């Protein structure tokens, strides 16, 4: 598997792009904030396109902070990597830093 660097494209058949912006991925129970990994297909392949045509069961995020829903003001759990079930996602939005 090729190395994935935040905000950069990587080489290899399974190359991926990690969004240069942090994203909030919310489920019914938790909010995940981190860099979303998506396949490198073309420059204008938007995150919404990726989610709408997604054939995998999980969305990968790196450098993640996890909070219980509605608890963004509290420190969350930090993880290097998580996978969120696509079927459980209620919305995805850019994170205002």
């Amino acid at each position: 598997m090729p190395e994935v660097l935040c905000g950069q494209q990587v080489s290899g058949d399974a190359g991926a792009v990690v969004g240069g912006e942090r994203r909030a991925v919310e489920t019914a129970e938790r909010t995940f904030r981190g860099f979303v990994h998506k396949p490198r297909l073309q420059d204008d392949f938007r995150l919404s396109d990726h989610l709408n045509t997604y054939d995998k069961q999980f969305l990968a995020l790196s450098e993640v902070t996890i909070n219980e829903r509605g608890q963004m003001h509290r420190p969350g759990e930090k993880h290097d990597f998580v996978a969120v079930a696509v079927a459980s996602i209620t919305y995805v939005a850019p994170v205002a830093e």
Side-chain angles (χ1 to χ4, degrees):
M1 183 165 183
E3 182 180 359
V4 177
L5 303 173
C6 292
Q8 297 181 9
Q9 295 182 2
V10 294
S11 61
D13 293 337
V17 172
V18 182
E21 273 184 62
R22 289 178 61 84
R23 303 286 178 171
V25 177
E26 188 152 313
T27 67
E29 297 177 1
R30 292 178 182 80
T31 301
F32 301 82
R33 286 183 180 74
F35 294 98
V36 174
H37 295 243
K38 65 184 182 88
R40 181 182 58 179
L41 297 176
Q42 57 209 34
D43 290 338
D44 61 344
F45 193 63
R46 301 172 302 176
L47 181 57
S48 60
D49 296 333
H50 173 58
L51 290 172
N52 289 334
T53 62
Y54 201 60
D55 62 344
K56 306 293 183 204
Q57 295 179 7
F58 295 92
L59 182 66
L61 294 102
S62 61
E63 299 179 35
V64 183
T65 303
I66 304 171
N67 290 91
E68 296 298 318
R69 189 167 178 174
Q71 300 295 317
M72 277 66 85
H73 59 282
R74 295 186 178 182
E77 295 177 40
K78 300 212 183 269
H79 296 277
D80 292 333
F81 177 84
V82 299
V84 180
V86 172
S88 70
I89 296 172
T90 56
Y91 77 81
V92 178
V95 173
E97 296 292 334

